[in-house]
Amino acid sequence: MQRAFPSVLGQKTSEKDMKILNIVLKTDVHGSLEAIKASVMKLVNDEVKINILHSGVGAISESDLILANASNAMVIAFNIGQDSKVKTIAERMKIKIYSYKIIYELLDEIERVVKGMKEPKYEEVYLGRAEVMAVFKLSNAGIVAGSMVRDGKIIRGEHARIYRGDEMICESTIKSLKIVKDDVKEAGKDRECGIKTTFDEIAVGDRIECFSLKRIEE
C-alpha cells in the first residue's frame, strides 16, 4: 500500500506552531522547475508551511526516494519518466510518486494536500434547550436528568452545555435520550424526556443547551 498524503505530515514547528509539507521536486527542464517552485510557494498559508527539501532537473533517483522517506516528503515528478528500478524502490518504501505533465494539475494536487493538513474550523449551530425538573439515579443508567424541552430540540449524540443560574458549569455531550421508556434520537419542544450526559453532578433547575458543530468549508 502506497503512502497517502497527508500522512505524518502533521508535524508542527515549535517556533510557529505550523504544519510542514516537505516536497522533493524533479522536472524536465530548468524553466519548468523555477516556474513550479514559484507557484508552489504561493500556496502557503498561516497554518501550513511548504518546504522544498530538494529540487532538480532529471529523473527521480534512489537518493531522492531515500530523502523523501526520511522526511515524510511528497515526491513530485513533472514531465519526466521513471525507470523500473526507481518504481520498485518506491513501492518497497511505500512512497507514491506524483507524476504530472500539466502544471495546473500538479498545483491542484499540492493545494488539495495543503487544505487537508489545515486544522478544520467549525461553527456552532444552536439546537435547543431543556430544563432539569428532577434527577434520578438508576442502577443500569447512572444519573439521568428528567427534563422538559423549553426550546428547539435535544438530540442524542450532540454537544451540550450545562448552566446553573448564569454560570456555565460543564461542557458535555448528550449520551442518551429517552421519552418515557423509549430510546429516541431527539425530543422536541414541550416534551418531557430523560437526558443522560457525561456530567454526573447535574441538579434540578440546571439548563441543558444542545448544539452541533458544523464544519466550515474553505
Side-chain angles (χ1 to χ4, degrees), residues 1-2 16 26 42 57 142 151 180 184 216:
M1 181 184 296
Q2 289 180 320
K16 294 187 178 179
K26 300 298 284 288
K42 293 178 181 177
V57 173
D151 182 50
V180 190
V184 294
I216 301 172

Side-chain angles (χ1 to χ4, degrees), residues 143 158-160 162 170-176 195-202:
I143 303 299
E158 291 293 0
H159 303 269
I162 300 171
C170 178
E171 288 201 358
S172 182
T173 55
I174 308 296
K175 290 183 65 176
S176 67
I195 302 173
K196 180 170 177 58
T197 69
T198 55
F199 181 60
D200 286 339
E201 296 178 27
I202 200 159

Side-chain angles (χ1 to χ4, degrees), residues 129-134 136 144-155 174 176-196 208:
R129 172 177 51 84
E131 181 182 353
V132 179
M133 311 300 290
F136 305 97
V144 175
S147 307
M148 174 69 76
V149 181
R150 298 298 190 189
D151 182 50
K153 56 188 175 182
I154 304 298
I155 300 179
I174 308 296
S176 67
L177 187 63
K178 286 180 180 288
I179 294 179
V180 190
K181 294 184 179 180
D182 296 328
D183 289 306
V184 294
K185 175 64 177 175
E186 62 181 57
K189 185 178 179 181
D190 297 328
R191 291 304 300 264
E192 292 183 351
C193 58
I195 302 173
K196 180 170 177 58
I208 301 172

